[in-house]
Amino acid sequence: MDVVCSSLPSPRSRSSAAILPRKPTALSFSSSFQFQGFVVDRKQSSSSIQTAAVRHLVGSVTKTQGLRFAVVVARFNEIVTKPLLEGALDTFRKYSVNEEDIDVVWVPGSFEIGIVAERLGKSRNYHAILCIGAVIRGDTTHYDAVANSVASGVLSAGLNSGVPCIFGVLTCENMDQALNRAGGKSGNKGAECALTAIEMASLFDHHLK
């Protein structure tokens, strides 16, 4: 037999009284407290608690109208950097970036990318800068010095100019690894970085002005 917590009938009428099920009721809690002379009433339902809305700011890859991009490309290891550039330009076209809104700047090598990217960013003519290069390990420690300097230079360019500078420089152990990432079996990193540039440009232009 189900037991319902309610006021019970007297012993005299227990035989004639029917025990009826009661409808469940939602519980609510209310309280009030005084804080520095102010009385605050609070009522909270146990079934639902409302929280403030959280804004999520995300860049769009479809709203590219009016966005301008610069691509800084290292000429050294051109057998790798040229396919990376082609992949980037193809992605810009696929996402409706006008060709007149893209400027390509060639530099001698990856080491020179950072200073040019920073100058382009500070010009305020571009919404994002895409940096393309290829550093391949050789027989000396030159690779480590160049790879670290390039990464630091691109990062500093973005921080100092306030314009997103996208790192599209391959740092590979050998030429096969580089070619595989420039349109080979590992995809095209230039195309991937162009998509990142679009999203970051949109994020800054629409949400972080």
Side-chain angles (χ1 to χ4, degrees):
M1 181 179 73
D2 295 334
V3 178
V4 179
C5 295
S6 61
S7 57
L8 297 177
S10 62
R12 299 176 184 175
S13 59
R14 184 174 295 174
S15 59
S16 59
I19 301 177
L20 300 177
R22 300 182 63 183
K23 294 183 179 180
T25 58
L27 297 178
S28 63
F29 305 92
S30 63
S31 63
S32 63
F33 60 91
Q34 187 170 357
F35 179 71
Q36 294 182 350
F38 296 94
V39 177
V40 180
D41 292 327
R42 181 176 61 192
K43 186 174 183 180
Q44 185 178 22
S45 172
S46 62
S47 60
S48 64
I49 300 176
Q50 293 185 353
T51 59
V54 178
R55 295 180 64 204
H56 293 266
L57 307 180
V58 181
S60 171
V61 295
T62 58
K63 299 178 181 179
T64 58
Q65 185 177 5
L67 297 179
R68 288 184 50 79
F69 300 90
V71 186
V72 185
V73 191
R75 193 180 302 110
F76 192 75
N77 286 326
E78 190 174 2
I79 191 175
V80 178
T81 61
K82 190 173 181 180
L84 291 173
L85 172 62
E86 291 172 353
L89 296 178
D90 185 55
T91 297
F92 283 137
R93 284 191 292 267
K94 286 180 179 178
Y95 286 85
S96 302
V97 177
N98 296 325
E99 289 188 357
E100 57 268 25
D101 291 330
I102 305 170
D103 290 334
V104 178
V105 182
W106 290 88
V107 295
S110 295
F111 191 84
E112 290 75 33
I113 289 176
I115 188 171
V116 175
E118 183 170 335
R119 177 65 64 89
L120 293 170
K122 288 182 176 179
S123 72
R124 296 291 181 260
N125 292 328
Y126 306 98
H127 293 87
I129 315 295
L130 174 54
C131 304
I132 291 178
V135 183
I136 301 173
R137 186 181 295 278
D139 297 329
T140 68
T141 58
H142 182 70
Y143 165 88
D144 298 303
V146 174
N148 292 332
S149 297
V150 173
S152 178
V154 173
L155 175 61
S156 296
L159 294 175
N160 294 335
S161 67
V163 175
C165 292
I166 312 304
F167 189 78
V169 180
L170 298 182
T171 54
C172 302
E173 293 292 322
N174 52 59
M175 182 61 73
D176 287 339
Q177 286 184 357
L179 292 174
N180 283 336
R181 288 158 178 76
K185 62 183 180 181
S186 297
N188 191 306
K189 300 305 178 183
E192 295 177 13
C193 290
L195 197 58
T196 301
I198 293 173
E199 182 174 346
M200 289 296 291
S202 172
L203 177 64
F204 272 60
D205 189 56
H206 295 122
H207 301 298
L208 303 179
K209 281 186 175 181

